[in-house]
Amino acid sequence: MHAEAALYEPPFPSDQPRRPGWLRRHGREAAALLLLALLLFPFLWMVQLALRPAEDAFEPGLLFVPTLDAFRALWQDQFARSFGNSLLTSTLSTALSLLIGVPAAYVLTRWRFRARRHVALWILCTRMAPPIAFTIPFFLALRWSGLLDTVWGLTLIYLTFNLAIVIWLMQSFFAAIPAALEEAAWMDGCGIWSAFRHVTLPLALPGLVSTAVLCFIFSWSDFFFALILTRTQAVTAPVAIVNFLQYDGWEWTKIAAAGTLVMLPVVAFTLLVRKYLVRGLTAGGVKD
């Protein structure tokens, strides 16, 4: 009996250090909150700067009387029009990218033809070159067509690089859907595109939403093309923020207020579709 007790060793030896009870229970939550605070710190600092009076922008301490003067000044200026241009170009380019790219991705996934892999590769190659390589051709093409400094011209430019994103992302989502489901719909009398609309597309909805969010973010946050291809009529919000950097001084409260407004649509859009976004981004992570 004593020999058996001597040979027995507990699974957790008493000489090993044990973590405190609170840390063992809440360590992960505390680490997640710390990481969240670090990630949100720049945004929260920008928001508090936007709410400060202009004369107290660089006063030490966080105790101040909040004011919306910076936001009111923005909407009384040209920034309101620039914000509308950004919203319109981002929405139009995202909608057109999905309208053209989703059927193209379905064709490249389901249909078998000789140059299918080469076509997909060339579509991907359009995203490999740096944006500055396309600036002069885009500028000349828009000037020749009369679309320079227009919302539609900027929408077409965003369409060119969002289209590759839609096709390549949606190809992976369509490939994860069994083709047998479409074949069953064909047996029930559906045509190819009817089965695509009623069977495949609803199953690919999480991927469609996540792709739309990415396209909207890329279009909304673009600065380079909007700076080169617009002058006065189609200036977007990221370019308009630069106007607050003047030679006689930088209007920091207006810059912070404009940055806050630029981030709000993306945050709101992401929160509205967060359920589908998480499902879309994690789809295909585990193979059956």
Side-chain angles (χ1 to χ4, degrees), residues 143-157:
R143 188 178 66 175
W144 175 80
S145 60
L147 294 176
L148 190 65
D149 194 22
T150 62
V151 170
W152 278 109
L154 201 58
T155 299
L156 292 177
I157 299 303

Side-chain angles (χ1 to χ4, degrees), residues 212-256:
V213 171
L214 292 177
C215 290
F216 185 87
I217 291 175
F218 287 146
S219 301
W220 180 266
S221 59
D222 172 70
F223 176 81
F224 182 78
F225 286 122
L227 178 66
I228 302 299
L229 302 176
T230 61
R231 293 293 181 269
T232 56
Q233 300 300 319
V235 175
T236 58
V239 178
I241 295 178
V242 182
N243 296 330
F244 300 120
L245 308 179
Q246 303 174 0
Y247 290 106
D248 55 349
W250 293 7
E251 301 178 86
W252 287 108
T253 54
K254 286 186 178 181
I255 294 174

Side-chain angles (χ1 to χ4, degrees), residues 81-93:
R81 181 176 182 178
S82 302
F83 189 88
N85 290 337
S86 288
L87 191 61
L88 186 58
T89 53
S90 301
T91 304
L92 287 175
S93 63

Side-chain angles (χ1 to χ4, degrees), residues 270-285:
T270 305
L271 290 177
L272 287 175
V273 299
R274 63 186 183 278
K275 179 178 66 174
Y276 296 102
L277 182 61
V278 173
R279 289 171 56 190
L281 293 178
T282 56

Side-chain angles (χ1 to χ4, degrees), residues 20-117:
W22 184 91
L23 184 61
R24 186 173 63 248
R25 292 193 304 269
H26 304 288
R28 294 180 180 179
E29 290 83 354
L33 290 176
L34 179 60
L35 180 60
L36 181 63
L38 292 176
L39 293 175
L40 291 180
F41 176 77
F43 177 71
L44 296 177
W45 187 267
M46 181 175 61
V47 172
Q48 68 88 25
L49 181 59
L51 296 175
R52 282 180 177 270
E55 61 274 7
D56 297 336
F58 294 102
E59 290 294 328
L62 298 177
L63 297 179
F64 61 91
V65 179
T67 179
L68 297 177
D69 292 341
F71 294 95
R72 296 193 190 98
L74 285 179
W75 292 111
Q76 295 172 0
D77 204 351
Q78 296 295 326
F79 183 80
R81 181 176 182 178
S82 302
F83 189 88
N85 290 337
S86 288
L87 191 61
L88 186 58
T89 53
S90 301
T91 304
L92 287 175
S93 63
T94 301
L96 290 176
S97 299
L98 295 176
L99 185 63
I100 300 173
V102 170
Y106 179 73
V107 169
L108 290 174
T109 304
R110 290 289 190 254
W111 293 4
R112 297 294 184 265
F113 52 92
R114 181 176 299 178
R116 182 173 64 93
R117 295 186 181 275

Side-chain angles (χ1 to χ4, degrees), residues 102 106 169-170 172-177 196-197 199-211 276 279-280 283:
V102 170
Y106 179 73
L169 287 179
M170 291 307 299
S172 63
F173 292 116
F174 287 143
I177 299 175
F196 168 72
R197 292 194 306 269
V199 177
T200 309
L201 201 58
L203 293 175
L205 183 60
L208 192 68
V209 172
S210 59
T211 303
Y276 296 102
R279 289 171 56 190

